[in-house]
Amino acid sequence: SNASADLKVQEIENRIFRQSLEEKARLLNDARVLSPKTAILTFINSQVGSQVSQGAQIATVADLSRFRAECEIADGYRDKLSLGARTIIEIGDTRMEGRITTITPSVTNGVIQFTVIPDQADHAGLSSGLSVNIYVLHGLSRDVLRIPNNSMFSYGRGDYDIWVVVDNKAVKRKVRLGDGSFEFIEVIEGLAEGEQIILSPLEKYRERSEIKIK
């Protein structure tokens, strides 16, 4: 009968509609991209209608509670690096501690790469893409005489001519320096505790051994 034929047609159309709906649901589900971790979305490809091939980057997420610093250092300092070594992370006037968690065994263009995790990984001063200074702590000396660090430390340990203040004069004296940090340099020989020195460059007096101080 016509009614029976119409019912079969409607059943076929309904089945086709359900199949189409299920296909669209699968397509929508496949289009959803879930973050692998709880994080903050920092980038998304928002160009509508653009084709995304397999493996293409469509978004970036960052776990802002677990910052890490990717660092580089000259190969000559390889012996100063060790897993778990303490570091100082300097961000402007802010300093915080951290530790080395990974060291790349290979050397690229004379440079070794290593990773530092801050102790306060959620510190307010940290942000994605930030450039920081990293100081690796190596060795520990107690009860040593030290002077403030300045440009002279770029020469490394050894003997240097340093101006020592005596009464109203500055007298050039041979001083032996040792290891140092980003703040201080160890004095091995040539200075006594309490003596005053001049750290400012006095290159124009390099041929003299003594100058008056006004």
Side-chain angles (χ1 to χ4, degrees):
S1 65
N2 291 335
S4 178
D6 290 343
L7 181 59
K8 288 183 179 180
V9 171
Q10 289 179 2
E11 288 177 350
I12 294 173
E13 290 178 348
N14 189 37
R15 186 165 58 249
I16 294 173
F17 174 77
R18 285 200 306 269
Q19 290 176 346
S20 176
L21 185 61
E22 290 172 358
E23 181 64 28
K24 291 183 183 298
R26 283 195 298 269
L27 181 63
L28 180 62
N29 186 64
D30 291 343
R32 295 176 61 212
V33 179
L34 301 179
S35 173
K37 64 178 72 175
T38 301
I40 293 178
L41 182 66
T42 59
F43 162 78
I44 187 170
N45 181 3
S46 58
Q47 186 175 353
V48 178
S50 61
Q51 293 186 349
V52 180
S53 58
Q54 184 176 359
Q57 181 181 9
I58 60 174
T60 302
V61 295
D63 184 355
L64 301 185
S65 65
R66 297 182 61 84
F67 278 110
R68 67 180 184 181
E70 301 293 341
C71 314
E72 293 183 346
I73 195 169
D75 180 41
Y77 294 98
R78 175 188 290 272
D79 61 331
K80 301 292 192 287
L81 298 180
S82 61
L83 292 177
R86 305 304 302 174
T87 66
I88 299 296
I89 304 169
E90 185 180 64
I91 309 172
D93 295 332
T94 301
R95 288 174 181 169
M96 64 188 75
E97 293 188 359
R99 68 184 188 279
I100 296 178
T101 56
T102 62
I103 302 174
T104 303
S106 59
V107 179
T108 304
N109 296 326
V111 170
I112 296 175
Q113 296 180 331
F114 61 99
T115 301
V116 169
I117 299 292
D119 290 347
Q120 294 177 271
D122 57 349
H123 191 281
L126 296 171
S127 62
S128 180
L130 183 68
S131 294
V132 299
N133 293 323
I134 302 290
Y135 300 96
V136 179
L137 304 183
H138 173 75
L140 179 64
S141 298
R142 299 185 182 277
D143 299 324
V144 299
L145 183 65
R146 63 185 187 179
I147 60 177
N149 193 354
N150 75 336
S151 59
M152 82 169 72
F153 186 59
S154 61
Y155 298 104
R157 61 164 51 224
D159 295 335
Y160 300 95
D161 291 326
I162 293 181
W163 293 96
V164 182
V165 177
V166 180
D167 297 328
N168 294 324
K169 298 179 295 182
V171 179
K172 188 186 296 183
R173 186 188 300 173
K174 189 72 70 176
V175 176
R176 178 165 297 174
L177 302 180
D179 292 327
S181 68
F182 59 97
E183 289 183 307
F184 298 100
I185 312 166
E186 176 188 13
V187 177
I188 297 177
E189 187 179 314
L191 290 176
E193 183 178 357
E195 287 190 302
Q196 292 183 319
I197 63 174
I198 298 176
L199 294 177
S200 302
L202 299 175
E203 286 298 317
K204 62 181 179 180
Y205 301 112
R206 61 178 178 272
E207 301 300 328
R208 301 179 61 178
S209 60
E210 182 179 304
I211 56 176
K212 290 184 178 180
I213 299 177
K214 294 183 180 180

